[in-house]
Amino acid sequence: MSKYSFRYEKTGLAKYISHLDFVRAINRALRRAHIPVKYSQGFNPHSLLSFGMPLPVGYTSVCEIFEAELERDMDENLIMEKLNSTLPDGIRILEVSKVCPDIKKIRYAKYIIKPEFMPGKDFVKSFLENDTIVIDKKTKSGIKEKDIKKDIREINLCGTFIEMVLSASNTANLKPDVVAAAFKKYGFDLGFCQYERVMFFDENLNKI
């Protein structure tokens, strides 16, 4: 049995595929490509796949990760070639490796935001200097206020786009569209935005 790591991109119309439908698409593609994925034992066996932080619907990405346990060793390039030939448009495997990153160590993600209107440096500076950045969050018991300041690691203006490094783990996961909503609340409306995830980091901002 061998474990492989798969880095992939999700672009174009594939950004509208939900995480659950994406998992189904990967399972179908693996079967069609005759990749010998190992299955669990028991009454209802399932393929031994594990995925990183789910990508929100409407976002694109060039850095997503999943892992698969195979019944036998295969050439990494052959796996990638066979799998890419069966995947739907917009989903493409970028790299297959037997050196698996520890996706459980993911703590931050970097996003590229392409807004309709770019904020100025003064606004971003004053925004980040707030002691708290409070948003309204919908919960099962109603609307509650939440401070997202601690989940914002970096915000940088880069010409026509914005880079944000935000918390991305099972315990703290801040999406850039929430930060965009906070921008609006604190005085600047970005308008229509496109969001792309481009990198994962551990707690020390080492790339995963």
Side-chain angles (χ1 to χ4, degrees):
M1 183 180 69
S2 300
K3 181 179 284 189
Y4 289 82
S5 171
F6 298 75
R7 291 188 184 271
Y8 66 93
E9 65 179 13
K10 194 177 179 188
T11 60
L13 294 178
K15 69 182 181 181
Y16 298 114
I17 298 175
S18 70
H19 181 68
L20 182 58
D21 286 337
F22 169 77
V23 172
R24 291 171 178 152
I26 289 294
N27 274 292
R28 285 195 299 268
L30 288 165
R31 289 195 299 270
R32 291 171 181 168
H34 303 291
I35 306 297
V37 178
K38 184 176 176 60
Y39 279 75
S40 63
Q41 303 297 313
F43 181 74
N44 186 26
H46 60 273
S47 55
L48 295 180
L49 305 177
S50 50
F51 293 83
M53 186 64 56
L55 186 69
V57 174
Y59 284 40
T60 58
S61 178
V62 294
C63 68
E64 300 306 291
I65 305 170
F66 75 90
E67 294 175 355
E69 293 188 25
L70 305 188
E71 293 282 2
R72 56 181 172 83
D73 284 350
M74 287 185 67
D75 178 77
E76 291 96 326
N77 290 328
L78 179 61
I79 294 173
M80 183 165 64
E81 180 183 340
K82 290 169 69 71
L83 196 51
N84 278 334
S85 69
T86 63
L87 284 168
D89 291 344
I91 300 174
R92 186 169 69 94
I93 305 299
L94 303 174
E95 180 187 10
V96 179
S97 176
K98 290 193 72 175
V99 180
C100 297
D102 190 348
I103 58 179
K104 293 180 181 179
K105 289 186 176 181
I106 292 174
R107 293 295 179 270
Y108 298 98
K110 178 187 285 188
Y111 298 89
I112 297 295
I113 297 88
K114 295 180 179 178
E116 186 177 0
F117 307 108
M118 279 291 292
K121 291 182 180 179
D122 289 344
F123 172 78
V124 174
K125 183 174 182 293
S126 64
F127 179 79
L128 293 175
E129 286 177 346
N130 284 297
D131 293 332
T132 60
I133 298 174
V134 178
I135 58 150
D136 294 330
K137 183 179 180 181
K138 290 182 179 179
T139 68
K140 293 180 180 179
S141 58
I143 303 295
K144 291 187 176 180
E145 291 187 338
K146 180 181 180 182
D147 181 10
I148 63 171
K149 175 71 181 285
K150 62 181 174 55
D151 294 319
I152 300 174
R153 186 66 184 256
E154 294 179 12
I155 298 179
N156 299 303
L157 302 183
C158 305
T160 59
F161 62 88
I162 307 168
E163 281 187 354
M164 295 185 186
V165 178
L166 310 173
S167 292
S169 70
N170 291 329
T171 56
N173 182 33
L174 179 60
K175 298 186 294 183
D177 59 293
V178 174
V179 181
F183 269 30
K184 184 176 181 179
K185 179 179 178 180
Y186 282 74
F188 190 89
D189 188 353
L190 296 176
F192 175 77
C193 296
Q194 298 177 57
Y195 302 99
E196 183 167 77
R197 191 152 65 190
V198 296
M199 201 174 298
F200 288 113
F201 302 101
D202 65 14
E203 62 182 354
N204 297 314
L205 288 188
N206 297 311
K207 181 182 176 181
I208 291 180

